[in-house]
Amino acid sequence: MGRAALADIKGKDFSELAKETKTNTEDTNKVSNTNKNRSTTTSDSSRKKSRRRPKKTTMPAAVMVSPVQRLFDTCKDVFALAGTGIVPTPDKIEQLRAVLDQIQPADVGLTPQMPFFSLPVTRRAPPITYLHIHECEKFSMGIFCLPPSGVLPLHNHPGMTVFSKLLFGTMHIKSYDWVVDVPSNASAVVPPSQMQHPEVRLAKVKVDSDFTAPCNASILYPADGGNMHCFTAVTACAVLDVLGPPYSDPEGRHCTYYFDYPFTKLSVDEITVAEEEKDKYAWLQEREKPEDLAVVGAPYTGPEIVEN
């Protein structure tokens, strides 16, 4: 409808309203005395109505944010400047750790009764299930589900800061950091059966313990905290992993697997370690991805994430 037509309708309405008002005024003058008492009664009634309390308005309930949505939002903040070797500030690290420490299995749609936590009888190495939650160029979120005796072999996280939260079960974690002050001319004799990658490098044990949920999230950094680690399921267990930034072959963040040898197993020139400290060191040697490692994907069934 055009602007002129709309103005015409309004004009007509206002004209009729003016006529009606004039007529009502004349009638009112004729019956003013008759309605005097009635007017008083009406006025009293109006005052009573005006004293009534206004109706209460019900405010809408606050929208509940799911724990996994809170985790996603926190990761966006903590890893806003993520890049290879860039570590978030200590206050950001604690911010994300605090959110992770509150995550429960039910918050991500998990129960220990799910089929991928059962130990199959047909495979020598039980498969590990990965539930993908989110990945972008700054960070990734996902859950590894391990049946009893399931193993994620020793591997690294180049240039990454990694948070791991054990959601339920018992897991053995063994992790290493590189020893950086090894003489450059040090050499080791590698067993002939492992000559695919003859070079070895000295590493120091950071963690070698069982962890049982509930427990706090663990954190590893690009150069310390146990950047190379291995997960072994003592019981069926699940671990929520947050990586910032995620693996990326084009950006040089490759996943490398390792053999680890006791310090005393290899003959090494120019490197000495006190006798009581030898069990805290090991030689790591790159290897191909283990043939018996089976990691399969499954749909994430927890609360949806809104990527706002």
Side-chain angles (χ1 to χ4, degrees), residues 35 40-41 52 54 62 64 87 104 122 166 170 187 258 265 294:
N35 291 335
T40 302
T41 303
R52 292 178 184 175
M64 295 297 291
V87 178
Q104 302 295 320
T122 56
L166 185 63
T170 298
S187 60
Y258 299 91
K265 185 172 182 178

Side-chain angles (χ1 to χ4, degrees), residues 85 156-162 220-222 227 243-248 253:
N156 71 341
H157 306 82
M160 305 178 193
T161 303
V162 179
L220 61 85
Y221 304 92
N227 189 275
L243 282 63
Y247 288 106
S248 172
R253 298 190 297 272

Side-chain angles (χ1 to χ4, degrees), residues 5 11 38 50 54 62 64 83 92 102 104 118 125 159 200 211 282 287:
R38 185 180 301 169
S50 67
M64 295 297 291
K92 296 294 186 183
Q102 297 178 18
Q104 302 295 320
S118 301
V200 295
F211 292 82
R287 62 178 296 188

Side-chain angles (χ1 to χ4, degrees), residues 163-270:
F163 295 73
S164 297
K165 166 64 176 176
L166 185 63
L167 296 172
F168 67 83
T170 298
M171 172 183 287
H172 186 87
I173 300 178
K174 189 168 188 179
S175 65
Y176 298 93
D177 287 320
W178 296 121
V179 176
V180 296
D181 55 352
V182 177
S184 59
N185 60 347
S187 60
V189 178
V190 180
S193 61
Q194 307 294 344
M195 290 301 291
Q196 262 188 333
H197 302 279
E199 301 83 8
V200 295
R201 185 175 174 184
L202 186 63
K204 186 173 184 178
V205 177
K206 180 68 177 181
V207 174
D208 190 6
S209 302
D210 286 350
F211 292 82
T212 300
C215 57
N216 292 338
S218 62
I219 307 172
L220 61 85
Y221 304 92
D224 57 56
N227 189 275
M228 289 79 65
H229 67 199
C230 172
F231 290 164
T232 302
V234 179
T235 68
C237 56
V239 59
L240 171 58
D241 253 12
V242 175
L243 282 63
Y247 288 106
S248 172
D249 286 344
E251 296 183 24
R253 298 190 297 272
H254 314 283
C255 182
T256 302
Y257 295 90
Y258 299 91
F259 292 113
D260 56 339
Y261 302 105
F263 179 81
T264 55
K265 185 172 182 178
L266 302 180
S267 174
V268 181
D269 298 331
E270 299 185 19

Side-chain angles (χ1 to χ4, degrees), residues 8-21:
D8 292 342
I9 291 174
K10 283 188 175 182
K12 180 180 180 181
D13 289 342
F14 291 142
S15 174
E16 291 176 351
L17 181 59
K19 290 179 182 179
E20 182 180 346
T21 303

